[in-house]
Every structure is written in structure tokens, then in C-alpha cells.
């Protein structure tokens, strides 16, 4: 298996993208669990790394805590929102392996956030599509470049997997002026 070269700046750009995607879902979780800051803490840690912080214990701990928060959520939408936050903090651990499964580290936060929005809207898939459109607008040339170093997103994964594949295809189709 070939290894992909990823700089710390590449990782920071990916995490910034993931954090901006996950941030949109925080209100969904907090409406369900108003006293639980674990997903917000994970997104805050992701932003800290994106802005120059260390990739270490804080990211791992807050990602793990957001995962536990997902398990305590009362609604499916809140669970997806917490998974978006967990994915944002976990994006810093994108592995430099040329495996399609790594695409979830880049796009998982966005897909979970879009799914949370769909569920809040009564499982309206057009709402998820609208969220993906906004995420495409947020993507920087660096994020798209990093994504294109990996194989296309794999099959499977239910609705979140579908959202990842749609976002993957949309981002890969972008071109930026030189």
C-alpha cells in the first residue's frame, strides 16, 4: 500500500474544513442535550489544532467524549450531530495511506452534519443536499488537493456513506484557478 505525503498544513486545512462542517450541527445536539458540551468541546479542539495547536491528547480525548455524547443522545439527529463533532476532532488523525476508507476522515464531519440536518427536517434529503452544497463552497484548494490524493470514497455506510460519496464526487469535480 502506498503512502501519501501529508504536511501538518494539509492536516490543519482538512481539520478546519471538518470543524466548519461540524459546527453547523452543534445546535442540533445541544437542543437534545442542553447541558452537554462534549461535542462543542471536540469542535473547539479541532479549531485549536487548525489554528496551530498541537495534535495530541486534547483532540483524542474530546473526540472520544463526543462519541460518548452520541451514545447518550435521545434523538438520531443529535447522535449524528455528535458524530460530526467527533469526526472533526478525529480528522487530525487522517492516515497517510492510499485507502478509500481514509476519505471518511476528511468528509465524515460534513456527512454526519448533513444527515443530522436531514433528520431534523423529517428525513428530508433535499436539506442534506443543501448542506453539502454549502460545504463545497467552504472547501479550499488545499482540502480538495488532499482529497484527490486518496482513492474515491468506498461503497457502503448507509445514508452517511451516500452523503460522503456525494460530497467526495462534488469536491473532486472542483477546479481552482492556478
Amino acid at each position: 500500500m502506498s503512502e501519501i505525503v501529508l504536511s501538518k498544513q494539509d492536516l490543519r486545512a482538512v481539520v478546519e474544513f471538518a470543524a466548519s462542517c461540524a459546527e453547523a450541527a452543534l445546535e442540533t445536539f445541544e437542543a437534545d442535550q442542553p447541558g452537554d458540551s462534549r461535542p462543542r468541546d471536540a469542535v473547539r479542539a479541532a479549531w485549536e489544532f487548525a489554528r496551530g495547536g498541537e495534535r495530541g491528547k486534547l483532540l483524542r480525548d474530546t473526540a472520544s467524549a463526543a462519541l460518548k455524547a452520541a451514545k447518550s443522545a435521545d434523538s438520531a439527529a443529535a447522535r449524528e450531530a455528535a458524530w460530526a463533532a467527533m469526526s472533526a476532532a478525529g480528522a487530525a488523525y487522517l492516515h497517510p495511506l492510499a485507502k478509500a476508507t481514509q476519505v471518511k476522515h476528511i468528509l465524515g464531519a460534513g456527512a454526519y452534519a448533513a444527515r443530522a440536518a436531514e433528520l431534523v427536517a423529517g428525513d428530508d434529503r433535499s436539506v442534506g443536499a443543501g448542506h453539502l452544497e454549502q460545504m463545497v463552497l467552504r472547501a479550499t484548494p488545499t482540502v480538495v488537493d488532499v482529497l484527490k490524493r486518496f482513492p474515491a470514497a468506498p461503497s457502503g455506510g448507509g445514508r452517511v456513506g451516500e452523503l460522503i460519496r456525494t460530497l467526495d464526487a462534488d469536491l473532486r469535480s472542483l477546479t481552482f484557478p492556478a
Side-chain angles (χ1 to χ4, degrees), residues 46-70:
W47 277 116
E48 187 176 312
F49 172 75
R51 294 177 177 140
E54 290 304 311
R55 185 175 80 160
K57 186 172 174 19
L58 179 65
L59 281 166
R60 287 189 302 275
D61 289 352
T62 58
S64 176
L67 180 60
K68 289 176 183 159

Side-chain angles (χ1 to χ4, degrees), residues 96-135:
L97 303 173
K99 292 178 71 173
T101 53
Q102 291 304 305
V103 170
K104 190 171 183 181
H105 282 291
I106 303 168
L107 305 179
Y112 284 121
R115 182 64 182 141
E118 287 179 346
L119 291 169
V120 166
D123 206 10
D124 182 345
R125 291 182 176 210
S126 69
V127 171
H131 275 262
L132 295 184
E133 288 172 14
Q134 292 303 309
M135 291 170 201

Side-chain angles (χ1 to χ4, degrees), residues 19 28 33 43 54 72 75 80 86 114-115 128 141 149-150 167 177:
T28 298
Q33 300 291 313
V43 172
E54 290 304 311
S72 69
S75 73
E80 300 286 341
M86 181 265 311
R115 182 64 182 141
R149 295 179 208 169
F150 291 87
L167 185 54

Side-chain angles (χ1 to χ4, degrees), residues 141-154:
T142 301
V143 169
V144 173
D145 176 62
V146 170
L147 178 65
K148 288 180 176 180
R149 295 179 208 169
F150 291 87

